[in-house]
Amino acid sequence: MGVARLLDLIWVSGTRVRRGVRGLATVGRFAARGDNFTFDPDGVYTYETIEVGHNVDLGHRPIIIAARSRIRIGDNVMFGPEVTIRGGNHRIDRVGVPMISVEKSASDGALDRGVAIGDDVWVGTRAVILHGVTIGRGAVVGAGAVVTRSVPPYAIVAGNPARVIRLRWPVETILAHEQQLYPPDRRLAAAELAALSDLAGSPARPVSSATAGS
């Protein structure tokens, strides 16, 4: 075995050990976590403001931060590499003060509205999700999307800013899917299904809070 190959094996083994130790040391810092939770210990997290459900994989090196709000991630969620979730914002309205020097007060809650991601969501590589956004159950966020407004259940969104491309299935299939996965009290309400029916018949358009699910 060549010296370069040996050094590479030593480096890889050491990296795995370091990552494993770091993961064990930090996993307990999350505000809540379910079973079968996978996260990259080399990601960036404000652990104490992040709640994660069951069967969740946060992908490779995400940035998930919210200093004064909550980021809630449901069950059966998967991220691609390098997803960014930002649960807050900065003030840009102060005259005579550099933005970096502006401190938030207790009345600035509207600047830190958190993020909620429903069950069975897939967030693609390097997508960015900004504060105040709810990602509805079953949605897909395309790679590189910048999500500034809430996403309806079972919608596929892409672009900057993110727009609804289509639903994953016709509404009848979504209903059948819900019936197989969720008890009656957790299925989409009639009003939510009606909103999806309207969305299914419309061309691609910006996602708005009026059509947001969950």
Side-chain angles (χ1 to χ4, degrees):
M1 180 181 295
V3 173
R5 176 61 175 161
L6 178 60
L7 290 174
D8 181 63
L9 287 174
I10 293 172
W11 172 262
V12 170
S13 297
T15 299
R16 287 175 178 169
V17 170
R18 179 192 60 79
R19 285 168 52 83
V21 171
R22 180 173 171 79
L24 289 173
T26 57
V27 68
R29 294 177 57 191
F30 286 93
R33 69 186 192 280
D35 299 329
N36 194 28
F37 170 43
T38 301
F39 77 105
D40 184 350
D42 289 333
V44 178
Y45 313 94
T46 51
Y47 297 91
E48 291 79 4
T49 62
I50 302 169
E51 302 175 9
V52 183
H54 301 291
N55 194 29
V56 171
D57 185 344
L58 297 183
H60 177 68
R61 292 197 175 179
I63 300 174
I64 306 176
I65 51 178
R68 294 159 43 125
S69 60
R70 288 274 168 168
I71 295 173
R72 295 180 171 89
I73 300 171
D75 299 332
N76 301 308
V77 173
M78 57 181 176
F79 288 5
E82 299 181 350
V83 168
T84 295
I85 301 177
R86 185 70 171 90
N89 203 354
H90 294 290
R91 291 189 61 173
I92 60 172
D93 60 334
R94 292 288 301 277
V95 177
V97 182
M99 289 182 287
I100 196 172
S101 300
V102 176
E103 295 185 2
K104 295 177 184 176
S105 66
S107 62
D108 291 333
L111 296 176
D112 295 279
R113 295 182 288 144
V115 170
I117 297 178
D119 298 336
D120 189 25
V121 168
W122 176 18
V123 181
T125 299
R126 292 185 176 173
V128 177
I129 301 172
L130 300 181
H131 79 128
V133 164
T134 293
I135 308 293
R137 174 193 296 167
V140 176
V141 177
V146 179
V147 186
T148 60
R149 297 185 180 182
S150 293
V151 176
Y154 297 99
I156 299 174
V157 301
N160 178 10
R163 294 174 177 263
V164 175
I165 304 303
R166 61 179 176 86
L167 296 179
R168 286 174 59 190
W169 302 298
V171 175
E172 295 77 10
T173 306
I174 291 173
L175 180 58
H177 179 76
E178 290 264 311
Q179 290 171 342
Q180 293 181 53
L181 286 186
Y182 304 105
D185 62 335
R186 291 198 57 207
R187 295 172 192 163
L188 293 181
E192 293 173 303
L193 290 170
L196 291 183
S197 296
D198 293 340
L199 186 63
S202 302
R205 60 184 181 182
V207 183
S208 68
S209 57
T211 57
S214 72

